[in-house]
Amino acid sequence: MKNLNLKKFLVLLPFLVSLSLSAQKNEVPRFEFAVSVPDPGSHTYHVATRILNWPTDTITLHLPNWMPGYYQMMDYYKGLKNFKVLSGQSFDESRPATWVLTGVKGKAVQLEYDMYTDRTFVANSYVDEDRAYIIPVNSFLYAEGHLKMPITVTVEKSNGWTDVVTGLELVEENAQKAVFRSNHFDDFLDSPLLMGNLKKLPDFQVGGTNHRFWGYNAGEFDEKKLMDDLKSVIEVASGIIGHIPYEEYTFIGIGPGRGGIEHLNSSTVSFDGGQMGSPQAYQRMVNFLSHEYFHHYNVKRIRPFELGPFDYQNGSKTTQLWISEGLTSYYAGIMVRRAGIYSEADFLQEIAAGITQFENNPGKDFQSLIESSFETWHEGPFGTSGKDPNKSISYYVKGPIVGLLMDFGIRQATNNEKSLDDVMRHMYHEYYLKKGRGFTDAEFRNACTFIAGTPLTELFQYVYTPNPLDYDTYLGYAGLELEKKQETRTIRGRDGESTEKVMDVYSLVPVNNPNASQKAILDSWMGKNKVQ
Ligand SMILES: [Zn+2]
């Protein structure tokens, strides 16, 4: 019976395939974009768009106002010039970042515009004579209420550029162009493109999955060592979560600068291999790349409920960036340590530096982690550009500290049988893989209770309130102590002025005679044995 059905199906298969192809070609609404850079010296690129098979008479098009991963309004529409509808439909552009076209039903709509760029930053497109960094949220219009549809983008090579790299699926590539496709604007808008004469570092595999690193102006450095170390940190991260969800992962180095942004199967990172001369600078870079990489789990897939579907026009506010950013920073340190790139002392030093930064910020007594997460749209990503920076904190700084205390709290409560790793793994499998959605604040807290077997009431007060942190108790579970001394340090203020300040400087040291429980927790946390 099974065979018979299969035979019938196989006979029908060519017909079904051709039917679905013709349906897709003729009826399904779709977007076709083309990008070219005819005059890179003008810092401008050209975008042509074809919209096919639109089912209604009116279409409302938007350019996104922000980039998921960078929680600031970017107003990309301000760089858009010379908007034209070549197919003749009338349009209304009275609202910012919005174009409403009428008379589009069933027509091949063609429009074009130029995008001017003036800032080399990871969350902005930028073109010059040497490269074109094209960010989809900065470049392409999407139709309101219609994100799921076939999309292609043709990138026309010019200016002697040979390489186009992106996380998008490649359809075809030759010397003149590269064509990519996607089936959803959320994925399409999440996939920056970099064109130029790029350096390709050696590919590596983790769990049979390919990982690539392409860079513009990547500098001179030991490429094999960096790729070996990236492979090691990715093995640690994928070992913690227990699953690799992408078919291929691409690091896209956009040249010297600061900052990186995470994507589903790529990250765009400011990268200058020539700046990794000292062991500390090298560790900082591997830590930074680990942070961006871990985000494909934590925020892209293990995500707060509010961060998907995104509100590309108004921004998506959440109280949980302390998880998405803070715990990502915490796990970047874990990855670098367990891959053997940080010594134990290096790792403790990194954590102590974070504690020093946090404890010397007067904002710690005013703002909680959830407030800091929610207010980031006003106060800047590091909590420093609001009205009163002395009353704000950064979830990048406090988040990993609270993550550490939670990790030790869970380990202590479970006789070191469970840890924060189990919480992250649970969130991934339960909410991303099984439920296919984001989690609420209460669901994250419940997951911690579930893994720890007890409510972590005090630890969550460190999330909801600015209460002082009880370092002694939680660090003590792992046989660690915080030592404090006062030092005079030169601090650079927001105005660029340097001032001398007496600071409490912390170091984190193991106690001399740890008991068996403390030793077990410290060793497994450090990655000294298989139980992590
Ligand atoms: Zn981040």
Side-chain angles (χ1 to χ4, degrees):
M1 183 118 168
K2 274 185 183 167
N3 282 342
L4 190 67
N5 275 347
L6 184 63
K7 265 188 198 159
K8 263 190 189 168
F9 180 73
L10 288 175
V11 169
L12 280 172
L13 195 58
F15 172 71
L16 290 173
V17 168
S18 78
L19 193 69
S20 86
L21 281 178
S22 72
Q24 184 166 341
K25 214 169 179 191
N26 295 331
E27 291 160 24
V28 175
R30 69 181 198 272
F31 273 55
E32 296 175 351
F33 297 105
V35 184
S36 56
V37 193
D39 182 14
S42 67
H43 305 295
T44 301
Y45 57 98
H46 185 74
V47 180
T49 305
R50 263 165 46 100
I51 305 165
L52 299 162
N53 309 321
W54 202 252
T56 55
D57 193 51
T58 300
I59 186 170
T60 301
L61 300 169
H62 292 298
L63 188 67
N65 280 323
W66 67 291
M67 183 173 192
Y70 189 68
Y71 306 98
Q72 305 291 303
M73 297 308 277
M74 301 300 283
D75 296 339
Y76 294 121
Y77 68 90
K78 290 181 178 168
L80 192 153
K81 315 280 183 205
N82 306 323
F83 183 89
K84 290 186 195 112
V85 179
L86 302 176
S87 48
Q89 285 83 2
S90 61
F91 65 95
D92 171 11
E93 55 178 349
S94 54
R95 283 188 288 151
T98 304
W99 293 262
V100 181
L101 276 62
T102 48
V104 300
K105 185 173 180 177
K107 302 276 169 48
V109 179
Q110 289 192 58
L111 48 95
E112 65 171 19
Y113 48 87
D114 296 314
M115 188 61 73
Y116 175 70
T117 68
D118 61 359
R119 186 182 175 202
T120 53
F121 180 56
V122 69
N124 287 88
S125 289
Y126 186 74
V127 300
D128 65 10
E129 286 90 345
D130 295 328
R131 88 294 209 178
Y133 175 47
I134 309 284
I135 297 183
V137 286
N138 193 157
S139 308
F140 303 121
L141 307 184
Y142 68 93
E144 187 176 280
H146 298 268
L147 293 177
K148 189 175 185 313
M149 69 181 69
I151 305 149
T152 58
V153 57
T154 300
V155 183
E156 292 173 23
K157 295 180 182 175
S158 57
N159 210 32
W161 292 331
T162 53
D163 307 310
V164 184
V165 61
T166 173
L168 289 169
E169 183 189 346
L170 180 67
V171 179
E172 61 167 307
E173 181 168 15
N174 56 38
Q176 284 76 42
K177 65 178 184 188
V179 183
F180 303 93
R181 76 170 152 218
S182 174
N183 287 315
H184 202 295
F185 267 92
D186 278 344
D187 299 337
F188 179 68
L189 293 173
D190 183 56
S191 302
L193 301 125
L194 179 65
M195 174 161 58
N197 296 321
L198 310 176
K199 178 181 275 194
K200 184 180 192 304
L201 305 186
D203 286 358
F204 60 90
Q205 275 69 43
V206 175
T209 301
N210 196 45
H211 293 72
R212 311 186 295 167
F213 195 127
W214 287 80
Y216 158 73
N217 199 6
E220 295 301 318
F221 57 99
D222 186 339
E223 298 174 12
K224 182 170 184 314
K225 176 175 162 52
L226 182 66
M227 292 304 100
D228 286 348
D229 284 341
L230 270 186
K231 178 181 162 80
S232 298
V233 293
I234 290 172
E235 282 170 345
V236 172
S238 55
I240 288 170
I241 302 298
H243 186 240
I244 292 180
Y246 46 78
E247 290 180 8
E248 185 172 60
Y249 189 90
T250 308
F251 290 94
I252 302 173
I254 61 169
R258 293 182 70 181
I261 298 207
E262 64 277 6
H263 306 289
L264 281 161
N265 65 356
S266 69
S267 48
T268 40
V269 290
S270 302
F271 178 84
D272 180 359
Q275 296 293 312
M276 303 191 300
S278 72
Q280 291 76 20
Y282 181 79
Q283 288 175 344
R284 266 200 304 278
M285 179 56 77
V286 177
N287 186 310
F288 164 62
L289 296 174
S290 298
H291 176 110
E292 299 308 335
Y293 175 81
F294 195 75
H295 265 316
H296 88 78
Y297 291 122
N298 191 30
V299 86
K300 299 308 292 186
R301 294 183 172 90
I302 304 171
R303 65 172 174 81
F305 198 76
E306 298 83 4
L307 294 185
F310 298 111
D311 183 340
Y312 290 109
Q313 295 317 111
N314 303 303
S316 298
K317 284 187 163 186
T318 173
T319 56
Q320 302 190 85
L321 291 177
W322 72 272
I323 300 171
S324 301
E325 290 296 345
L327 297 189
T328 295
S329 285
Y330 177 61
Y331 273 97
I334 296 261
M335 288 161 71
V336 179
R337 166 56 212 144
R338 291 186 194 160
I341 298 156
Y342 275 154
S343 68
E344 294 188 21
D346 293 332
F347 188 28
L348 295 179
Q349 166 58 29
E350 184 220 311
I351 293 168
I355 293 173
T356 296
Q357 193 179 350
F358 176 66
E359 290 298 327
N360 283 279
N361 176 3
K364 72 184 162 73
D365 297 324
F366 293 92
Q367 193 178 51
S368 69
L369 274 174
I370 58 168
E371 288 165 338
S372 151
S373 300
F374 200 73
E375 295 302 328
T376 191
W377 290 89
H378 305 297
E379 295 180 344
F382 305 104
T384 51
S385 46
K387 267 192 302 218
D388 189 349
N390 287 328
K391 291 190 175 175
S392 62
I393 60 161
S394 165
Y395 45 77
Y396 285 100
V397 178
K398 187 178 180 184
I401 300 171
V402 172
L404 172 75
L405 303 189
M406 278 188 178
D407 202 352
F408 288 168
I410 294 168
R411 287 169 188 271
Q412 177 73 11
T414 60
N415 200 21
N416 200 34
E417 286 180 4
K418 302 283 181 190
S419 71
L420 194 62
D421 298 0
D422 294 276
V423 174
M424 301 310 284
R425 192 181 308 122
H426 173 80
M427 297 306 293
Y428 180 84
H429 288 265
E430 190 66 21
Y431 290 95
Y432 170 63
L433 287 183
K434 223 162 114 185
K435 294 191 165 77
R437 66 167 173 85
F439 58 87
T440 65
D441 180 272
E443 284 168 340
F444 183 80
R445 187 172 175 170
N446 288 343
C448 291
T449 302
F450 170 66
I451 296 296
T454 180
L456 304 172
T457 309
E458 183 178 67
L459 285 162
F460 274 90
Q461 290 307 302
Y462 301 153
V463 173
Y464 303 136
T465 74
N467 288 0
L469 308 182
D470 179 359
Y471 293 107
D472 291 349
T473 297
Y474 292 98
L475 296 175
Y477 293 152
L480 294 172
E481 281 177 346
L482 211 48
E483 290 180 352
K484 179 168 83 170
K485 60 180 177 185
Q486 292 204 317
E487 274 181 20
T488 303
R489 288 195 175 176
T490 306
I491 305 292
R492 254 184 126 194
R494 283 204 295 172
D495 50 8
E497 291 288 305
S498 294
T499 47
E500 303 261 291
K501 191 181 170 195
V502 179
M503 290 177 67
D504 292 333
V505 176
Y506 292 85
S507 48
L508 193 52
V509 291
V511 297
N512 281 330
N513 295 302
N515 63 33
S517 167
Q518 290 172 321
K519 189 170 176 345
I521 288 178
L522 186 66
D523 285 354
S524 59
W525 174 68
M526 282 286 187
K528 272 191 175 169
N529 51 42
K530 294 272 180 196
V531 184
Q532 293 180 352

